[in-house]
Amino acid sequence: MIWVLMCALISLSVADEVDTDLEHSRTIYVTENGPRLSVLSQQAKVVSQRGGNATLPCTIQRDQAMPPNRKMRIKWTKLTSDYLKEVDVFVAMDYHKRSYGRFYGRVHLQGSSPLDASLVITDITLEDYGRYKCEVIDGLEDGTTVVSLDLQGVLFPYSPRLGRYNLNFYEAEQACRDQDAVVASFDQLYDAWRGGLDWCNAGWLSDGSVQYPITNPREPCGGKNTMPGVRNYGLREKEKNHFDVFCFTSNYKGRFYYLIQPSKLTYEEAVGACLNDGAEIAKVGQMYAAWKLLGYDRCDAGWLADGSVRYPISRPRRRCSPTEAAVRFSGFPDKKHKLYGVYCFKCQY
């Protein structure tokens, strides 16, 4: 009897020690099921051109055990350089569909299956370039993926008649629009630099930064002993600071051409000559697009809409840009000078 009582006391003592240890150290294991809905894109980037169409892929993967949900919501937004702001593009829930702003009437879901949330964009504009987010909400489940829309085109540096470093950011935006272009992105500038662009004047980019591309380091352009690259001044005050701008343009619907005339023209005569031919005087962006995308080549200096005089050379030769293919710039001459021809542009609708 005494032996049984001793065993009981020992058991209680051990139990008390175990309980005391548990109070000070307790491990809790939580098991969580994986996501029942995911959203994927088969391509990270889609390439198109102005005036073309593009399909941004977005596929829904849904747990088969989930019941059908007519209220599953698909939303597409366009991301901006301000990560807190997104631009609404398209929303669909069952039979209810809506497109927004400048995308109105130009976007719809591909809808090849109930799980296909791919977005089709038609009649693409320069402003459509950028990153898009596909978001799917199905009850308590949701998923997102991001797709980039890139455009074939050409980047070009631009400064106005007033000269170097005379544009704040908003004036730079307008200057590009006036030349049938938009302010370029960093990725577009970087691609141009990789393609050989070397330009020593700093210019605005679409994110509000100021940068310039150097392939041949030299003293006035960041230093002779520096590495080639895209030089970055960082983000600048959009109203206060003044620089040049890098513009970007893409394919156009129309005809760019040099108008044959019996004699040279003043600027006003050049404008009138294009109008009489059923066209308008061409813009800088249209000349760059014709040169880069169509291989346009003409060794005649001609007026453009901004009052500058330029000519495009895609086949370098003596007296016509002998060292490189380029759009040659002759400056902003007095508009009364009767020394140049004219480049015109005729739209095709």
Side-chain angles (χ1 to χ4, degrees):
M1 184 68 180
I2 294 173
W3 181 82
V4 173
L5 181 60
M6 290 178 64
C7 287
L9 291 172
I10 292 170
S11 298
L12 287 171
S13 176
V14 172
D16 287 342
E17 290 178 7
V18 172
D19 287 342
T20 302
D21 290 341
L22 283 173
E23 288 177 3
H24 295 286
S25 177
R26 184 169 298 179
T27 303
I28 299 174
Y29 295 93
V30 177
T31 302
E32 182 177 338
N33 294 329
R36 304 181 69 192
L37 180 142
S38 59
V39 179
L40 305 173
S41 175
Q42 293 79 14
Q43 293 175 258
K45 181 169 72 172
V46 175
V47 181
S48 188
Q49 63 187 36
R50 178 167 55 175
N53 301 331
T55 300
L56 309 185
C58 181
T59 302
I60 304 167
Q61 291 187 344
R62 194 170 182 272
D63 190 331
Q64 293 183 354
M66 293 176 66
N69 182 8
R70 293 182 60 185
K71 293 186 178 181
M72 184 169 67
R73 185 170 180 260
I74 299 170
K75 182 178 182 180
W76 280 90
T77 56
K78 187 173 187 291
L79 305 181
T80 69
S81 56
D82 182 345
Y83 294 101
L84 298 177
K85 295 181 180 179
E86 298 179 7
V87 177
D88 289 339
V89 176
F90 184 85
V91 173
M93 188 170 68
D94 196 19
Y95 294 108
H96 302 285
K97 298 175 176 63
R98 182 180 178 185
S99 53
Y100 294 86
R102 57 185 178 79
F103 293 97
Y104 181 78
R106 295 194 298 119
V107 292
H108 62 270
L109 294 183
Q110 179 172 256
S112 61
S113 74
L115 300 180
D116 180 12
S118 302
L119 183 73
V120 179
I121 307 178
T122 62
D123 195 18
I124 287 172
T125 69
L126 295 174
E127 291 79 9
D128 291 343
Y129 167 90
R131 298 168 68 240
Y132 292 78
K133 183 175 76 174
C134 174
E135 179 181 25
V136 178
I137 300 175
D138 188 353
L140 297 177
E141 303 289 333
D142 68 282
T144 64
T145 190
V146 174
V147 187
S148 294
L149 175 60
D150 200 1
L151 298 182
Q152 297 174 350
V154 56
L155 176 144
F156 60 95
Y158 186 79
S159 58
R161 175 180 285 273
L162 293 174
R164 183 173 178 256
Y165 294 176
N166 269 285
L167 300 170
N168 68 28
F169 179 79
Y170 304 106
E171 292 167 341
E173 285 186 313
Q174 187 60 52
C176 288
R177 282 194 293 267
D178 290 344
Q179 303 314 315
D180 192 40
V182 293
V183 179
S185 70
F186 169 77
D187 288 341
Q188 290 166 337
L189 180 63
Y190 181 76
D191 288 343
W193 169 73
R194 291 186 62 188
L197 179 63
D198 183 279
W199 194 257
C200 198
N201 290 352
W204 290 103
L205 295 178
S206 59
D207 62 357
S209 68
V210 175
Q211 309 192 39
Y212 63 100
I214 296 297
T215 58
N216 178 30
R218 50 203 183 274
E219 286 304 329
C221 306
K224 185 176 181 180
N225 297 321
T226 58
M227 294 293 291
V230 177
R231 307 282 193 256
N232 188 354
Y233 285 5
L235 298 174
R236 294 303 178 102
E237 293 187 40
K238 292 183 176 181
E239 292 187 2
K240 180 179 178 181
N241 294 129
H242 293 75
F243 296 95
D244 292 347
V245 62
F246 290 100
C247 302
F248 180 86
T249 193
S250 183
N251 302 65
Y252 51 71
K253 293 182 178 180
R255 177 184 169 225
F256 172 90
Y257 62 101
Y258 181 81
L259 182 62
I260 303 297
Q261 292 286 286
S263 61
K264 301 300 182 182
L265 307 169
T266 66
Y267 176 80
E268 293 301 327
E269 290 171 341
V271 171
C274 288
L275 290 174
N276 290 337
D277 202 50
E280 60 183 13
I281 189 168
K283 300 176 180 179
V284 176
Q286 292 162 347
M287 175 176 281
Y288 270 96
W291 165 73
K292 184 70 174 181
L293 304 176
L294 301 176
Y296 193 93
D297 182 282
R298 183 90 192 190
C299 198
D300 292 292
W303 292 105
L304 293 177
D306 66 340
S308 66
V309 171
R310 308 174 195 245
Y311 59 101
I313 298 298
S314 58
R315 294 180 291 104
R317 54 199 183 275
R318 188 184 176 194
R319 296 183 181 179
C320 297
S321 187
T323 60
E324 63 177 349
V327 171
R328 288 302 184 186
F329 175 54
S330 301
F332 288 92
D334 188 324
K335 290 184 176 182
K336 295 180 181 179
H337 286 177
K338 205 179 181 76
L339 298 173
Y340 309 102
V342 62
Y343 289 91
C344 302
F345 183 80
K346 189 174 292 187
C347 288
Q348 292 179 357
Y349 299 101

